[in-house]
Amino acid sequence: MSTPVLLVVAHGSRDPRHAATVQALVRRAGLLRPGLRVETSFLDFNLPSVTGVLDRLAAEGVREVVALPLLLTRAFHAKADIPAVLRQAPASLTVRQAEVLGPSPLLLAAVERRLYEAGLTPADKSSTGVVLASAGSTDPEAIAVIAETARELRRTGWCSVRPAFASASLPRTEDAVRALRAEPGVRRVAVSPYVIAPGRLPDRIASGAAEAAADVLADVLGPSPELARLLLERYAAAAQTVRPLRATAFSIDVAPAGTATGASNPSYSRYISA
């Protein structure tokens, strides 16, 4: 049996930095597994489209595809938009939809990498408050995951961690920065964008950080080695799904996440040191 193609499904953006960052991340993941065919697609704004790539793969004789949502939480895009577009796949294709990227200890590792690259050190953790600033969602499940991720990040030793959102939910980044300023023991405040690629909402996070005079603004997660490894983890979990799949236009499998969060997960220290 041939190895399924990995099809990364990104949201897309009018901002050209978004697609460039997605492509860089996908290339990095591909380098970690030579021989694996990796394709990139976008739901909106950018090309190639998801349906366009699926049609091309079917025409080339590909029979199995793992579609990986390039999303940090299971919100509307993962629950509705992506399954809907995958249902348009040619009948000759067997398509498995992998789980979204979060939660994962690898994401915590990527967040810390960006904070250290912005000038912080492990010695700063006990006196630094962190705003974990995500894009935002109206989905309660997604909001709960962001809140739990903030709690997990704090358990790694940061003085305090507060979630914030660029849209749809509250608090905004600037309000979370101000709230952290008032917390005992917080001597500096860092904003960590919990987003994958640049765009309108990450720019809003940066504006909020500047408005509230945050001491540190980290970069987006981007093509970090932790994120590249996580893409392959999610791919492997979906590709190894044991139940048989039939290629129909009306059946999309979703592989179970099965990934614990927190430093207690053995893979956390392994990937931190990679």
Side-chain angles (χ1 to χ4, degrees), residues 6-12 18 22-23 26 38-44 46-54 56-57 65-70 82 85-86:
L6 168 56
L7 174 61
V8 176
V9 182
H11 182 273
H18 177 92
V22 169
Q23 295 285 6
V26 172
V38 185
E39 298 277 351
T40 307
S41 63
F42 298 90
L43 283 174
D44 205 356
N46 303 105
L47 294 174
S49 67
V50 181
T51 53
V53 176
L54 290 172
R56 172 166 55 81
L57 291 174
V65 174
V66 169
L68 173 59
L70 199 63
I82 292 177
V85 76
L86 294 181

Side-chain angles (χ1 to χ4, degrees), residues 131 162 172-183 186 189 191 207-214:
V131 176
R162 286 178 176 254
R172 295 287 183 258
T173 301
E174 54 271 28
D175 297 325
V177 170
R178 296 183 183 110
L180 281 174
R181 293 266 186 223
E183 289 195 21
V186 174
V189 176
V191 173
S207 295
E211 177 185 327

Side-chain angles (χ1 to χ4, degrees), residues 120 127-131 176-178 180-181 186-191 213-217:
L120 296 173
S127 58
T128 301
V130 176
V131 176
V177 170
R178 296 183 183 110
L180 281 174
R181 293 266 186 223
V186 174
R187 294 205 296 269
R188 70 187 64 79
V189 176
V191 173
D215 301 289
V216 174
L217 173 63

Side-chain angles (χ1 to χ4, degrees), residues 233-249:
E233 276 197 3
R234 293 292 187 255
Y235 165 81
Q240 293 168 10
T241 301
V242 296
R243 59 183 179 272
L245 301 175
R246 297 296 297 173
T248 74

Side-chain angles (χ1 to χ4, degrees), residues 12-245:
S13 170
R14 292 186 178 90
D15 189 321
R17 297 172 299 167
H18 177 92
T21 301
V22 169
Q23 295 285 6
L25 173 60
V26 172
R27 283 195 301 271
R28 187 161 203 165
L31 291 174
L32 292 176
R33 185 165 171 182
L36 173 64
R37 182 172 179 179
V38 185
E39 298 277 351
T40 307
S41 63
F42 298 90
L43 283 174
D44 205 356
F45 302 116
N46 303 105
L47 294 174
S49 67
V50 181
T51 53
V53 176
L54 290 172
D55 289 345
R56 172 166 55 81
L57 291 174
E60 293 175 9
V62 171
R63 290 295 174 260
E64 291 189 271
V65 174
V66 169
L68 173 59
L70 199 63
L71 302 168
L72 298 177
T73 60
R74 263 182 52 79
F76 184 78
H77 292 307
K79 294 176 179 178
D81 285 347
I82 292 177
V85 76
L86 294 181
R87 282 195 289 270
Q88 302 174 41
S92 62
L93 283 178
T94 294
V95 180
R96 296 173 173 91
Q97 181 178 330
E99 262 296 349
V100 296
L101 300 179
S104 169
L106 285 171
L107 289 171
L108 299 181
V111 166
E112 292 202 318
R113 174 186 292 275
R114 294 305 187 220
L115 287 167
Y116 296 150
E117 289 173 349
L120 296 173
T121 71
D124 296 321
K125 294 176 77 168
S126 63
S127 58
T128 301
V130 176
V131 176
L132 189 71
S134 75
S137 174
T138 58
D139 188 301
E141 179 185 350
I143 297 301
V145 167
I146 297 298
E148 178 58 25
T149 301
R151 288 190 288 269
E152 290 288 339
L153 185 61
R154 182 171 187 175
R155 292 184 188 113
T156 68
W158 298 95
C159 182
S160 183
V161 180
R162 286 178 176 254
F165 306 93
S167 68
S169 309
L170 296 174
R172 295 287 183 258
T173 301
E174 54 271 28
D175 297 325
V177 170
R178 296 183 183 110
L180 281 174
R181 293 266 186 223
E183 289 195 21
V186 174
R187 294 205 296 269
R188 70 187 64 79
V189 176
V191 173
S192 181
Y194 193 61
V195 293
I196 294 173
R200 178 175 57 87
L201 294 180
D203 284 349
R204 189 177 295 174
I205 290 170
S207 295
E211 177 185 327
D215 301 289
V216 174
L217 173 63
D219 200 356
V220 298
L221 300 178
S224 65
E226 295 83 5
L227 227 61
R229 289 180 181 272
L230 184 53
L231 261 62
L232 296 181
E233 276 197 3
R234 293 292 187 255
Y235 165 81
Q240 293 168 10
T241 301
V242 296
R243 59 183 179 272
L245 301 175

